[in-house]
Amino acid sequence: MQRKVGTVSRGIRCPIIRQGDDLSSIVVRSVLEAAQQDGFVIRDRDVIAVTESVVARAQGNYASVSAIAKDVKKKLGGGTIGVIFPILSRNRFAVCLRGIAQGAEKIVLMLSYPSDEVGNPLVSLDQLDTAGVNPYTDLLTLEDYRRLFGESRHPFTGVDYVQYYDDLIRKAGAACEILFANDPRRILEYTKDVLHCDIHSRARTKRLLLAAGARRAYGLDEILNAPVLGSGYNEKFGLLGSNKSTEEKIKLFPRDCADLVLDIQKQMLEKTGKHVEVMVYGDGAFQDPVGQIWELADPCVSVANTPGLEGTPSEIKLKYLADNDFADLSGAALQKAIEKKIKEKEEDLVGNMASQGTTPRRFTDLLGSLSDLTSGSGDKGTPVVLIQGYFDNFTNA
């Protein structure tokens, strides 16, 4: 009898993870206990996904505001620093900004508009049209912004981030000037020392700044990319991917995760005889349809993964086959014809009309998004996700 269930994603409850915990063993034990309790079996090519947050916690990868301040002052001179293109987030950036401000005499904060990099809005396109403002060329001062648009509160949090960041910088002891522009080179009219805080466009921003004469240009990925005052660090991503832990401390993106995913894979093979795939995931890659905000504030979706998760899907569209190649068939004959077509499909379907409308994104990005949606970001208590049947197709029994 043909199996009636395809892909299943399960959130796996785990103990609260603390620094120094043996995370590999905890993950394996939690998955196996869930399987026993709920009566499902582990299969080859099941995927175990572990959220980056508990990995960083187990590693103890934390840093203080004072460590951020010391590194910023050392690298950018401690005078007037341009801080450009940060995201608008109390969780993601506010504690970092406090440390940055403590490492400077003055912050010239330049915000992108009409929204930040991940879609948090400052002003609507309709408002820009009405005001005759061109976001590609126009630089606005804080006075310009308030005169044209007034107060802008985030649609979900209710926070006026312009005022919030202004107050935060001043309370940290630095003077503050706020600008709005999308050309990173405009900051050089105010200071030659720049910390650019964009995530996915950071390489281009640095290139433009240096070519235009910046004296010092650092990205968030270059702050705390090595220990400071005994702090945690991330040699590849620095402050990118960090989250608020307390008002004076952040949790950094985890590092050295390759051994973890391989160890979980090895333990699962020893205990079940099944070869599973494993990944450590950050933010998924999807957009909220109401707020237009991208869930992509981490520098990558997959921090680390076993080799079997490399690559992209090679799928054909069943409805295309049913409506075109086999439009004259139905019932068992249609099913048999489609199964045969699937079994004979090529590994590379680029340009093949039968694959149109499928999703040739990387497996890790697709699985990371599914995992992020399954685990949630609040109090579900499921930092591990077990995905079964993801690599199956219509022909698998």
Side-chain angles (χ1 to χ4, degrees), residues 141-196:
T141 64
L142 179 57
E143 292 72 22
D144 294 331
Y145 174 82
R146 292 298 191 198
R147 173 175 52 81
L148 291 169
F149 309 117
E151 182 185 73
S152 175
R153 293 191 173 273
H154 194 280
F156 293 156
T157 66
V159 173
D160 179 347
Y161 278 98
V162 176
Q163 189 63 55
Y164 177 65
Y165 281 177
D166 193 347
D167 292 343
L168 190 154
I169 291 168
R170 295 180 191 279
K171 287 177 182 177
C176 180
E177 183 173 0
I178 297 182
L179 309 170
F180 304 82
N182 292 305
D183 183 342
R185 294 167 292 195
R186 298 301 299 270
I187 194 66
L188 300 178
E189 300 168 26
Y190 297 80
T191 177
K192 302 295 185 185
D193 299 320
V194 185
L195 177 62
H196 60 92

Side-chain angles (χ1 to χ4, degrees), residues 73-250:
K73 187 171 184 178
K74 175 185 175 183
K75 290 174 177 174
L76 286 145
T80 297
I81 298 174
V83 176
I84 69 172
F85 303 160
I87 63 172
L88 307 174
S89 172
R90 294 168 296 177
N91 174 48
R92 288 287 189 173
F93 189 69
V95 179
C96 293
L97 182 58
R98 184 177 292 113
I100 294 165
Q102 288 182 11
E105 294 177 1
K106 178 180 179 179
I107 297 293
V108 182
L109 182 67
M110 192 169 87
L111 303 172
S112 54
Y113 73 99
S115 65
D116 69 7
E117 181 180 2
V118 296
N120 293 295
L122 285 172
V123 60
S124 71
L125 289 172
D126 288 337
Q127 287 176 296
L128 293 182
D129 293 341
T130 299
V133 173
N134 184 342
Y136 298 103
T137 58
D138 295 348
L139 180 145
L140 306 178
T141 64
L142 179 57
E143 292 72 22
D144 294 331
Y145 174 82
R146 292 298 191 198
R147 173 175 52 81
L148 291 169
F149 309 117
E151 182 185 73
S152 175
R153 293 191 173 273
H154 194 280
F156 293 156
T157 66
V159 173
D160 179 347
Y161 278 98
V162 176
Q163 189 63 55
Y164 177 65
Y165 281 177
D166 193 347
D167 292 343
L168 190 154
I169 291 168
R170 295 180 191 279
K171 287 177 182 177
C176 180
E177 183 173 0
I178 297 182
L179 309 170
F180 304 82
N182 292 305
D183 183 342
R185 294 167 292 195
R186 298 301 299 270
I187 194 66
L188 300 178
E189 300 168 26
Y190 297 80
T191 177
K192 302 295 185 185
D193 299 320
V194 185
L195 177 62
H196 60 92
C197 304
D198 46 341
I199 306 161
H200 306 287
S201 55
R202 61 188 183 275
R204 177 178 182 268
T205 298
K206 178 184 285 293
R207 174 174 58 79
L208 290 174
L209 287 168
L210 292 174
R215 178 170 49 200
R216 301 181 181 99
Y218 285 88
L220 279 186
D221 57 324
E222 297 171 288
I223 305 299
L224 289 190
N225 56 355
V228 174
L229 301 174
S231 72
Y233 67 97
N234 189 298
E235 66 278 6
K236 184 176 181 181
F237 296 122
L239 289 179
L240 290 179
S242 62
N243 293 88
K244 177 180 179 179
S245 175
T246 70
E247 294 298 333
E248 295 295 325
K249 186 169 69 172
I250 60 168

Side-chain angles (χ1 to χ4, degrees), residues 200-331:
H200 306 287
S201 55
R202 61 188 183 275
R204 177 178 182 268
T205 298
K206 178 184 285 293
R207 174 174 58 79
L208 290 174
L209 287 168
L210 292 174
R215 178 170 49 200
R216 301 181 181 99
Y218 285 88
L220 279 186
D221 57 324
E222 297 171 288
I223 305 299
L224 289 190
N225 56 355
V228 174
L229 301 174
S231 72
Y233 67 97
N234 189 298
E235 66 278 6
K236 184 176 181 181
F237 296 122
L239 289 179
L240 290 179
S242 62
N243 293 88
K244 177 180 179 179
S245 175
T246 70
E247 294 298 333
E248 295 295 325
K249 186 169 69 172
I250 60 168
K251 176 194 66 61
L252 294 159
F253 217 46
R255 59 180 192 271
D256 304 327
C257 297
D259 289 344
L260 173 71
V261 297
L262 292 173
D263 188 33
I264 293 172
Q265 185 182 60
K266 179 183 176 183
Q267 287 193 41
M268 288 295 294
L269 182 62
E270 291 171 349
K271 294 180 182 297
T272 68
K274 303 300 181 181
H275 182 89
V276 303
E277 304 295 348
V278 186
M279 68 180 292
V280 175
Y281 68 95
D283 276 346
F286 49 86
Q287 186 179 32
D288 180 81
V290 176
Q292 302 301 308
I293 297 167
W294 284 96
E295 184 70 14
L296 198 55
D298 283 330
C300 61
V301 175
S302 175
V303 187
N305 53 266
T306 49
L309 294 181
E310 296 297 331
T312 59
S314 181
E315 300 174 339
I316 55 179
K317 201 80 167 179
L318 296 190
K319 68 180 183 181
Y320 180 87
L321 296 178
D323 292 344
N324 290 272
D325 295 36
F326 309 121
D328 57 333
L329 300 178
S330 61

Side-chain angles (χ1 to χ4, degrees), residues 10 31-43 388:
R10 291 182 173 90
V31 170
L32 295 180
E33 287 176 352
Q36 182 178 24
Q37 185 179 87
D38 272 27
F40 60 86
V41 297
I42 304 299
R43 303 188 186 102
Q388 297 188 292

